[in-house]
Structure formats: C-alpha cells, structure tokens
Amino acid sequence: MTILYIILILLQACVIVYFIRRSKRPKLVAPSVPDDNTYEGIRRFALNVTAGQLKLTIPPADTFVYGVVMDWNMGETTVTLAAYITGAANMYFSTGGGITGAGKNPVVGEVAVEFVIAAQSFINRAAATTITELPAPGTVKFYLLTNKYVYAAQEQVEYLDDNSSPWLSLFEKGNQVIIEMRKEGNGVMAN
C-alpha cells in the first residue's frame, strides 16, 4: 500500500508542476460557455465538464479528480464554485450573476488547482452519484468530478463553522478560491 501512496503522491506532484508551468502560458484551457445561460444551465454544464473537454489524458486504471463543484446554500442564495485542474475557475449565484474566467489570473488559477488536488484525498469520504441536486439550506455539497464517476458529499455549515467537519480543509481551499476570485480584476462579472 505504501508504494501505491508514493506513486499517487508522485503523480500529484507531477500534475502540480505541469500545471504551474502551464499557467505561465498565455492560453488557458477552459470549457466553452454553455448554450443555456441560466443558473441551472451553467451549473449543469459545470457538473458535466469532462476530462476530454479539458484536454486531459488520464490513465484508465486511475481515479483522478479533475474538477470540483462546491454548492453552498446560504439561505436566500446558493453559491456555486466550479474549479478545474487546468486552473479554470467560475462562481455563480442562484439569484443571478457571478464571476467567470477568474482562472486566467495566475493566483486564482493556482489556488483553483490546489483546491482540485486537495479533493483527491476526499474521494473515499464521498459516494458515486448520478444525482446532482442543490444542497438543503445550511449545507454545502461537494461534487468531485473524476474520469470514472462524479462523487458527492454534503456537510452541515454548523460543523464547518465549529471546525468539527472532516470536510473543513477542502471547504477552506474552496473559500480561498472565492477570496482570490473576488479581488478586483480577477474575472468578469456575469449578469
């Protein structure tokens, strides 16, 4: 088992190096904009981005997280953060609007990649699913996009707030992406 962990760590390190070097290139591979420009349509699109659309080649024997969609139900609105291993990152609000193309900023792209890489260690805590419903009020739902399945898990905000959640570190990584995205000039505000 330790050899497998070493191989996985080396694979993740290679991916990090690859994407850091790639982030210095001017062109970022990001999924194209969906035809259905409603919140539901954009969210559905974010959840259905494939490794092929991101131009990734993943060995079929491996289960590799290439994207994370984090839905945070804040009561009156749901915030959806979509981040991919390419550094692409977008955020949408169920009430309308959002930030798109933020991953073109190197800082945002880097924290988005870190968020997705961190999600790899959470696969065993999530369940494969074909249902991608929005979370209930007071909860956060994580969707881990892999080359095999979409994995999902839900956590109560109260457990994230009191630091007792096993999902806290991933939630914090997602929040770091949001913080960087909201800084002036890091993306385009969508209506």
Side-chain angles (χ1 to χ4, degrees), residues 113-124:
V113 169
E114 290 172 6
F115 177 45
V116 175
I117 289 171
Q120 186 73 39
S121 65
F122 286 84
I123 288 179
N124 293 336

Side-chain angles (χ1 to χ4, degrees), residues 143-154:
Y143 291 100
L144 313 180
L145 312 181
T146 76
N147 55 313
K148 296 191 179 182
Y149 304 104
V150 172
Y151 291 83
Q154 183 168 290

Side-chain angles (χ1 to χ4, degrees), residues 12 37 57 124 146 162 168 177:
Q12 286 182 340
N37 206 20
T57 304
N124 293 336
T146 76
D162 72 10
L168 181 62
V177 177

